[in-house]
Structures are given as C-alpha cells and as structure tokens.
Amino acid sequence: MPKIIYITSTGTEHAVDADSGSSAMQTAVQHRIPGIDGDCGGVAACGTCHVWVDQNWLDKIGPARPGIEQEMLALTDGATPFSRLACQIELDDSHDGLVLRMPTDQH
Amino acid sequence: MDIAINDAERARTMPLEDFDVSDVSLYQREALHPYFERLRKEAPVHYCKASLYGPYWSITKFHDIVAIDTNHKQFSSDHTNGSFVLDDTTLNAVEGGISMPNFLGMDQPVHDVHRMAVSPIVAPANLLRFENLIRSRTKDLFDSLPIGETFNWVDQVSIPLTTMMLATLLDFPFADRAKLTRWSDVVTTRPGYGLVDTWEQRTAELMECLGYFQNLWDERQKLPPKADLISMLAHSPAMQGMTPTDFLGMLVLLIVGGNDTTRSSMSGSAMAAHLFPDEFAKAKADPSLLASIVPEVIRWQTPISHMRRTAIEDVEFRGQQIKKGDKVVMWYLSGNRDEEVIDRPQDFIVDRPRARHHLSFGFGIHRCLGNRLAELQIKVLWEEMLKRYSRIEVVGEPLRVPSNLIHGYVEMQVRLHA
Ligand code: HEM
C-alpha cells in the first residue's frame, strides 16, 4: 500500500494509503481529497485531475504521455512540464511517498 | 404535434432501419427516450439512411460517445470537413445557411490557439469576481417573483439570468441585452420553426449582430485591455487576422454556448423540482448536497442533445463500417440515460454518487470551456431556490424548443410555494 501525499493549492497536506493498481485520481476521489474531480472517470478526457509532480518523482514516473493526456494538458491553465493527469498515474508500491501538488481549481 | 401517438409502443415495434432520432417532433413532445433505449440495446451504432439532414450514424451508449469524442484524429469537428452539429445549415454556407466558423468547429492546431485566446474569461479569479454579481442578481430576481401565482419561468427566470450573465461576459450594453437572446435563438433555427420566416431574414439578423459587435470591437481596440470577451479578442495577438466571417463565428459560439445551454439548465431545474418533490425536500434539508445536485441537474436536463463529427477516413467502430465523409452523431441525451453506466438514469437524484460523471459538457479537446461558470450559475440558483421555496410546481404542459440540438423550453408555467 503506497502512501501518496496530495498538497492543495493552499498548502494543506493529505497523506493517504492507496491500493496498488488504482490511479492517483481514483485514490484522491475515494479519499474525498478536495481539488481533484475526475469528471470523465479516468480516460484523460476532461483535464479535472491536473497535478504537478516534483522533479525527482517525475524522473521515475515520466512526463505526460503523447496523445490525449498531452493534448488535454495543452489546454489546461497552469500546465508545465511537471504536469500530469492523475488518472494516468497507476500506483504500485514503488510510488510510496509520491508527492502531488494541486492547482487552485480544476477546469 | 400529435401526442396521441404512443411512442413507447412505436419505439418497440418499428423496424430499426426506420429509426430517425433527429426528427424534431420527437423533441417537441419529449418522446425520445423509448427510441434511444431501443437503440442502446439493439443498435448502439445505428445508421439512418435518410433524414432532413441526409444519412447519419447515431452513437447512443455512454462509453462509445466518450470514445468518439476523444478520437478527434479520425472524427473531425472541422468546418472544412462538415460541422459539429447535424444540421449543416446552422454554421455552413449550404442551402440557406451562412458560414460561421469557430473553434468548436476546428481541429488542432488552430483550435487550441483560438480556445486559449478566450479561456482567461473563465479563469478562477474571474469566476470569483462573477459569483457576487450572480448572487445579487439572482436574489433580486427571486425577491420580485410572486408566490402562489402562475408565471412563465423561462421568461421570468432562465432568460433574464442567463442574458445578464452573457452581457457581463461580453460587456455588452445592458439596455440592449434582449438582442443577445434573440440572436442566440436565431442561430440554431431554420425557417419554419416559428422564429424566422425565411433564410434571408435569418441572414439579415445575423448580419445586424455582426455589425453591432464590430462597433464594440473597434471601441475596445482603442481602449486598454480589460476582462471581457470582446476586449480579449480585440487585443489578442493570435486573433488580429480575424475576418468578419471568423468574428461572427466566434460570437455565435460564445453567445449560443453560454446562453441557451445555461438557460435550459435553469428551466430544467424547475422541472426536476416539480417532478421529484421528495428530492427537492431532501435538498432543502441538506444544502451540502449542492455538490451533487448541480452536476445531476445538468446531466438530467442534458441541454445539448447532440454533437456531431465527420469521419475523415474509413473507420471500423463496434463492428460497423463508418465511411470517410459520414456524419457521426453523439447523442449525449441518450448516453446520459445509459443504464449500464448510470443507475436509475431517468430519475433526478440529489445525492447521486459520482454525479459529475456525465456527458453534458462533452469530453476531449472540445470539452465545454464554460462548464465551471455554468455550474456556478446553477449552484447560486439552487441555493436561493432552496432558501425560499418549499415546492416548485409546473402547471400544465411546457412548450419545448423545436430542436434536436438545444434541449430546452420555450415556455413553462410554474407556481411557487412558500
Ligand atoms: C450547462 C451549460 C452548458 C452546457 C451543457 C454546455 C455544453 C457544451 C458542449 C456539449 C460542448 C461541446 C463538447 C464537445 O464537443 O465535446 C461545449 C463546448 C463549448 N462551450 Fe459549453 N456548455 C454550457 C455552458 C457554457 C458557457 C456558460 C460557456 C461560455 C462561457 C460555454 C462555452 C463553450 C465553448 C467556448 C465551447 C467550445 C469548446 C472547444 O471547442 O474547445 N459553454 N459546451
């Protein structure tokens, strides 16, 4: 059970235990973490689970993938090379300690 | 309108090949659901050989709609390939229609450039600024409504609130704002549905719209940039080469996109409250349910019945051969009633789990730009409704918009109970 740390735009930290095999979006929604909506259910089609990943973690999980994830992020306010859609990050034990920062608002 | 027709029976027995769910009379009497239900079960990717708009494919299941909506490489919205609505005359220069290209009708990369030019209007800081304004307008309006008397909710509530919002977004001269409502209606109609008598009349009214906005553009270009859509366009480096046709297309998108849709959600709110009084009572007792009520009413109403794409190559989809050039219609109205994805889909349920998982705003690169603003307006509407009324009663049969695109009401008589 990897521990995932979500940090809201105002700096509040939410550390939760994730189930291996679920995504970082599902985990947030399951634990009712404010700031991640996941309207499309996990197919990178709405851009409402935008997170920023720290550099050291980005090296491990990789940047946004070509195709719909990159295309949606291109239309998202505040997206940077550190941006991912949380629904596209599938979690397992190797993600223990992953830090994800959230924007003020999801669009 | 022949309400004597038993649609449930007809939908069950009619040969599938005769199905034409674009028939406007079905929308006028809200008779679509039994037809969509049969299509979802027996022909989820259905070909209609002949209609007023020519042949077209119907996609009716939730996940199939998401698959098409996110596959913009094969299913184009671009106005050079077709249109994003079934009726080509709405936005293209065919039959009596005129060309009004806009970024909902554009593929990448131009789509992204145009979208980013106007997207700051719905940035979080602007939404925050709008909330107070929306709240005070909604309060004032409700304060003026009679209790226990019958009145038209569409004219007294849905139209005034959405038109004021649109006037604010465009910084449009407030006294003239009824023009916006008229232009919004004229865009999505054809002659013969009670709004315009001829194509020439429609064109003339749209040209008046263009002329009016050209003056506003000229004015704003000379002034420093400010946070309204016309000023944003006038000062956007990416938008300097806009032709009058492009400008009209953009206006039409912003006017219809932000107006008819939210209007229908507000009218649908009254209808939902009427049909599901127990749910209304539950909401009144627990305002924290607003987080699910707002998306739920937008799903339940589904203000845009469909969006359309055009196949730009041959595609095999769920066993069907879609040919290059074919029109492919995503029926959001049907997907939002897909019982395999949504539990008790015909019901309005204020505490529905995962209520945000609906199709009303579309998905993929064209997903509604104004969705947060729309939700904000509906949230404030419900907050003020729940504070004031114990019941909203719809009196008699409402009159519905004669359209397979705009799913809303022309007239809805209601009575409010304190
Ligand atoms: C409940 C209210 C609303 C509904 C149901 C709605 C629905 C939609 C739908 C279905 C689409 C197309 C999605 C697709 O093709 O995948 C769309 C796009 C769009 N909407 Fe909305 N809309 C609403 C409110 C608004 C508001 C208030 C605005 C303006 C501020 C707005 C502006 C737009 C724009 C600009 C697009 C084009 C986006 C693009 O092509 O990138 N909408 N909307």
Side-chain angles (χ1 to χ4, degrees), chain A residues 56-94:
Chain A
N56 57 329
W57 275 106
L58 199 67
D59 295 341
K60 281 182 208 151
I61 67 172
R65 293 187 203 125
I68 188 80
E69 187 184 0
Q70 282 186 4
E71 288 167 354
M72 292 307 289
L73 283 168
L75 302 172
T76 305
D77 284 341
T80 70
F82 298 95
S83 294
R84 293 287 317 257
L85 292 178
C87 69
Q88 301 303 298
I89 307 174
E90 197 188 313
L91 301 171
D92 59 45
D93 286 338
S94 74

Side-chain angles (χ1 to χ4, degrees), chain B residues 139-146 156 388:
Chain B
K139 279 190 157 152
D140 287 351
L141 188 122
F142 277 151
D143 284 347
S144 73
L145 294 176
Q156 303 284 330
R388 284 156 211 258

Side-chain angles (χ1 to χ4, degrees), chain A residues 14-28:
Chain A
H14 301 268
V16 299
D17 291 322
D19 293 328
S20 287
S22 67
S23 74
M25 181 280 283
Q26 285 166 327
T27 305

Side-chain angles (χ1 to χ4, degrees), chain B residues 86-384:
Chain B
L86 177 56
D87 188 344
D88 283 335
T89 65
T90 307
L91 294 156
N92 297 13
V94 296
E95 293 176 52
I98 57 171
S99 170
M100 297 186 277
N102 59 59
F103 65 94
L104 180 47
M106 289 176 194
D107 293 343
Q108 291 168 315
V110 189
H111 162 268
D112 293 16
V113 176
H114 286 212
R115 180 170 168 129
M116 294 316 263
V118 292
S119 73
I121 192 77
V122 288
N126 269 334
L127 292 188
L128 223 54
R129 182 166 71 89
F130 292 145
E131 178 156 2
N132 290 330
L133 191 64
I134 295 170
R135 170 101 39 209
S136 70
R137 286 173 177 172
T138 309
K139 279 190 157 152
D140 287 351
L141 188 122
F142 277 151
D143 284 347
S144 73
L145 294 176
I147 301 282
E149 278 172 39
T150 305
F151 65 91
N152 181 357
W153 179 270
V154 181
D155 276 352
Q156 303 284 330
V157 178
S158 315
I159 290 180
L161 288 178
T162 48
T163 307
M164 283 192 275
M165 186 72 239
L166 186 59
T168 299
L169 295 178
L170 296 162
D171 194 12
F172 190 86
F174 217 62
D176 274 353
R177 65 188 187 279
K179 288 184 190 293
L180 293 172
T181 317
R182 172 72 191 170
W183 291 327
S184 180
D185 291 337
V186 168
V187 173
T188 52
T189 196
R190 287 179 165 227
Y193 290 100
L195 278 169
V196 296
D197 297 326
T198 60
W199 286 113
E200 291 70 29
Q201 184 193 347
R202 179 174 179 270
T203 304
E205 293 201 37
L206 293 170
M207 286 304 134
E208 184 207 331
C209 168
L210 175 61
Y212 196 110
F213 275 100
Q214 270 169 334
N215 287 337
L216 292 182
W217 164 293
D218 292 343
E219 235 171 73
R220 310 254 157 108
Q221 206 173 28
K222 294 187 199 105
L223 298 169
K226 54 192 189 65
D228 71 75
L229 284 163
I230 304 303
S231 180
M232 277 178 193
L233 290 173
H235 290 278
S236 158
M239 293 291 138
Q240 292 312 303
M242 263 189 148
T243 63
T245 303
D246 293 340
F247 186 42
L248 181 61
M250 176 68 101
L251 290 168
V252 157
L253 174 61
L254 298 171
I255 292 175
V256 179
N259 201 40
D260 292 47
T261 50
T262 317
R263 187 198 301 176
S264 301
S265 307
M266 291 188 175
S267 305
S269 293
M271 187 52 107
H274 165 74
L275 291 176
F276 300 91
D278 294 349
E279 293 297 311
F280 191 77
K282 202 154 66 174
K284 203 171 159 68
D286 182 4
S288 77
L289 293 175
L290 277 165
S292 50
I293 292 172
V294 171
E296 173 67 352
V297 80
I298 293 171
R299 175 198 71 86
W300 186 79
Q301 177 60 33
T302 315
I304 298 282
S305 299
H306 81 266
M307 281 283 122
R308 168 238 167 147
R309 301 294 184 254
T310 308
I312 49 175
E313 56 192 49
D314 292 356
V315 187
E316 182 177 329
F317 187 75
R318 307 284 179 260
Q320 303 294 320
Q321 304 297 328
I322 297 176
K323 292 265 174 290
K324 180 178 173 171
D326 284 357
K327 297 175 178 165
V328 179
V329 180
M330 305 176 284
W331 293 103
Y332 296 143
L333 196 54
S334 170
N336 273 341
R337 293 287 185 276
D338 185 343
E339 38 291 279
E340 279 177 22
V341 178
I342 295 161
D343 192 36
R344 290 169 51 203
Q346 306 290 350
D347 294 347
F348 170 72
I349 301 175
V350 291
D351 53 357
R352 182 181 286 288
R354 295 183 2 102
R356 302 193 60 81
H357 191 47
H358 66 71
L359 293 166
S360 295
F361 292 125
F363 283 121
I365 61 166
H366 294 288
R367 180 171 169 82
C368 180
L369 179 70
N371 62 1
R372 298 294 169 185
L373 178 60
E375 288 178 342
L376 177 61
Q377 294 177 76
I378 303 304
K379 182 189 83 157
V380 173
L381 183 89
W382 273 83
E383 279 171 353
E384 297 301 323

